[in-house]
Amino acid sequence: MDLYSLLLIALALSLDAFGIAISIGLNKSATKGFKICCIISFAAFQFLFSFIGAYSGFLFNKYIASVPEIIGGIIIILVGALMLKEGIDNKEELTFLKPGMWFILGISVSIDAMVVGFTALNNIPNNLIILKDTLFIGFTTLVITSLAFIISKYLKRIQIISKYADYIGGIILILFGFKMMFF
């Protein structure tokens, strides 16, 4: 696979992580440590799932591959709904920012990487090339997620975004969840 195609795939895969990182970054309760855990989790699972998908892609047909997208979408929608609910309740500590949620979010945003591995990366002739390509996907996600947290710092300075960050973030997550499930 040429670099241009691989870059497009890596960018497309990292968009879910980008949206969720923006949502998390807009929240005042998100700590630096939680954000770093999210960055590492998102990148590691993008790499791992695309790697697993590349090796096992020929074993699964399109019906089995669509089930994980639905599960990942449901998890993202539930996290978005929790964010909306807790924004309404005006709680200080949000459920989706609790320890370990970065792990669940990392898995949720990376399900599509496995699907891409099933279809686009499973016919690469050399195992070393598969490793290189999937590492590139993980690194791209690391960079894109880091940029999302940097951008969210500046978005928080906008008064209306800061005031309604929980609602905006919750809506973004719910929309991403539906996108994962149906598009």
Side-chain angles (χ1 to χ4, degrees), residues 60-134:
F60 294 94
N61 62 34
K62 65 181 182 176
Y63 300 110
I64 295 173
S66 65
V67 172
E69 289 176 335
I70 292 170
I71 293 169
I74 289 170
I75 291 171
I76 297 291
I77 288 170
L78 289 175
V79 170
L82 277 173
M83 194 172 180
L84 280 175
K85 180 190 173 297
E86 291 172 346
I88 292 168
D89 293 345
N90 234 354
K91 291 184 180 177
E92 276 303 306
E93 185 176 337
L94 300 174
T95 303
F96 81 95
L97 291 177
K98 289 191 177 174
M101 281 304 289
W102 51 265
F103 185 80
I104 293 169
L105 290 171
I107 290 171
S108 297
V109 300
S110 301
I111 296 293
D112 55 349
M114 189 178 295
V115 175
V116 168
F118 289 158
T119 57
L121 301 176
N122 66 353
N123 56 2
I124 297 173
N126 185 334
N127 292 341
L128 192 57
I129 294 173
I130 291 174
L131 180 63
K132 177 186 69 78
D133 288 355
T134 54

Side-chain angles (χ1 to χ4, degrees), residues 1 3 27 29 36 56 61 75 90 101 110 128 146 162 176:
M1 178 175 296
L3 183 62
N27 191 287
S29 301
I36 290 171
S56 60
N61 62 34
I75 291 171
N90 234 354
M101 281 304 289
S110 301
L128 192 57
S146 299
S162 178
F176 273 117

Side-chain angles (χ1 to χ4, degrees), residues 17-37:
F18 179 84
I20 291 173
I22 289 279
S23 299
I24 292 168
L26 286 174
N27 191 287
K28 296 173 197 153
S29 301
T31 64
K32 187 175 184 176
F34 187 84
K35 292 175 186 177
I36 290 171
C37 287

